[in-house]
Amino acid sequence: MKKFVAGLGLSALPFCAAGTAFAAQPEEWQWRFQPAATAIMEEIRWFEAYTLWFIVPITLLVMALLAWCIIRFRASANPVPSRTSHNTFIEVLWTVGPVVILLLLAVPSFQLLTAQYTPAEEPQMTIKATGVQWYWDYEYQGEEDSLTFTSLMLQDGERAEAGKEDRTVYPRLLAVDNEVVVPVGTTVRVLVTASDVIHAFAMPAFGIKVDAVPGRINETWFKAEREGLYYGQCSELCGKDHAFMPIAIRVVSQEQYADWYAAAQEDLGGAYRALMAAVESGKDEKTVASVAE
């Protein structure tokens, strides 16, 4: 069942990727998770579907029992109430049953929790994310040349200059001027903190969410398996502009990342423009190749 659900999630990715660029973002009337971009998020999607096999039958059973008791044992149908004090079989059943169900939920839950805090390999790069009212500061650590920049929500008047006028890829209230850029298939450690009040660093498609607490550094990690542009938001009420504090992570190839990082040391804006051009060029080449096939 686990492999079946995970397969469904993976098979849906190509359809979600149709368009100018793959961009995991909230959609209107969305009631399920975003497409998974990491193995951890696939596990979360599987666990959510797994728990529904327990939640739905239990809910229906309780509703049926309530309806049966209301109708069968109403005062008009039972003028003399039952004096039954206990039923051994039922008491054993409603004790053993929940214990078994809780065990079936606890085991995969603890396995998922362990995986979320234990990367399969040593992280190959570290990024520090600092929440500020109301934007994010990022610092690439462990490199020969460190890189620090601020990521602000993109204003409508800045879209043309930034080359981000396509709202399907760069949606309102989610697009930023400077995205975090990481290479695909790389385990990334994220150190999360804040400079003023409590924020929260959340990226739904990656299955990560961690509080940013002033004076404390919390740690999480991710390994994006698919190139694209992914969006998250601050998920801790942090003041009047809490809703205007998006997070954007762009996952690119190893070569594109190396070129961007080297160029960003001298000209951050130019590095982003060159990266966007390279991403679009690569998509055009893939489109031509798929048409030819």
Side-chain angles (χ1 to χ4, degrees):
M1 173 185 171
K2 182 176 179 180
K3 292 181 179 179
F4 172 72
V5 175
L8 286 179
L10 289 174
S11 63
L13 285 175
F15 299 98
C16 300
T20 306
F22 180 80
Q25 56 185 271
E27 300 176 0
E28 293 185 3
W29 301 100
Q30 186 173 15
W31 60 282
R32 300 300 298 272
F33 290 123
Q34 293 182 14
T38 66
I40 289 295
M41 190 58 200
E42 285 289 354
E43 292 288 325
I44 294 174
R45 286 170 61 93
W46 173 84
F47 185 68
E48 183 256 355
Y50 174 75
T51 57
L52 288 179
W53 286 98
F54 298 91
I55 294 172
V56 173
I58 291 173
T59 302
L60 294 177
L61 175 62
V62 171
M63 292 177 62
L65 290 175
L66 284 173
W68 183 64
C69 291
I70 291 170
I71 297 172
R72 175 66 179 80
F73 299 103
R74 67 188 188 278
S76 59
N78 295 270
V80 180
S82 171
R83 294 183 178 276
T84 303
S85 61
H86 69 279
N87 184 297
T88 303
F89 174 76
I90 292 178
E91 289 181 2
V92 171
L93 186 64
W94 73 34
T95 300
V96 175
V99 169
V100 172
I101 292 172
L102 289 175
L103 284 174
L104 292 174
L105 292 174
V107 172
S109 175
F110 289 144
Q111 290 175 339
L112 174 59
L113 187 63
T114 300
Q116 287 179 304
Y117 288 95
T118 311
E121 58 187 3
E122 186 67 21
Q124 290 138 340
M125 59 183 297
T126 300
I127 299 175
K128 182 180 180 182
T130 303
V132 187
Q133 288 178 312
W134 288 270
Y135 56 87
W136 292 93
D137 283 333
Y138 296 105
E139 178 186 349
Y140 284 68
Q141 300 181 345
E143 303 279 355
E144 293 183 0
D145 298 316
S146 62
L147 177 63
T148 303
F149 60 85
T150 296
S151 180
L152 297 165
M153 187 182 73
L154 191 66
Q155 303 297 323
D156 288 342
E158 301 170 341
R159 286 182 174 273
E161 182 180 356
K164 299 178 178 179
E165 297 179 282
D166 187 352
R167 291 177 182 263
T168 61
V169 179
Y170 305 101
R172 178 178 175 269
L173 303 184
L174 287 177
V176 300
D177 55 355
N178 300 319
E179 299 100 1
V180 174
V181 180
V182 298
V184 68
T186 300
T187 302
V188 181
R189 177 193 290 115
V190 184
L191 305 178
V192 182
T193 187
S195 64
D196 37 44
V197 300
I198 299 178
H199 302 277
F201 188 88
M203 182 58 61
F206 293 177
I208 61 174
K209 179 180 179 183
V210 59
D211 281 345
V213 183
R216 178 185 302 175
I217 294 180
N218 291 326
E219 181 177 329
T220 187
W221 68 277
F222 65 85
K223 183 179 181 180
E225 303 289 355
R226 183 178 180 84
E227 295 181 29
L229 184 56
Y230 303 90
Y231 293 103
Q233 290 176 296
C234 174
S235 298
E236 185 75 38
L237 186 60
C238 58
K240 71 180 184 66
D241 285 343
H242 163 67
F244 308 102
M245 196 173 167
I247 301 165
I249 299 180
R250 189 186 290 273
V251 182
V252 298
S253 67
Q254 294 283 346
E255 295 76 16
Q256 290 172 337
Y257 169 77
D259 292 342
W260 170 82
Y261 195 87
Q265 302 294 327
E266 302 294 334
D267 181 7
L268 184 63
Y272 277 112
R273 288 189 291 272
L275 177 62
M276 291 169 60
V279 169
E280 291 301 321
S281 175
K283 285 180 171 53
D284 292 340
E285 291 177 1
K286 291 180 181 178
T287 300
V288 171
S290 62
V291 171
E293 291 178 359

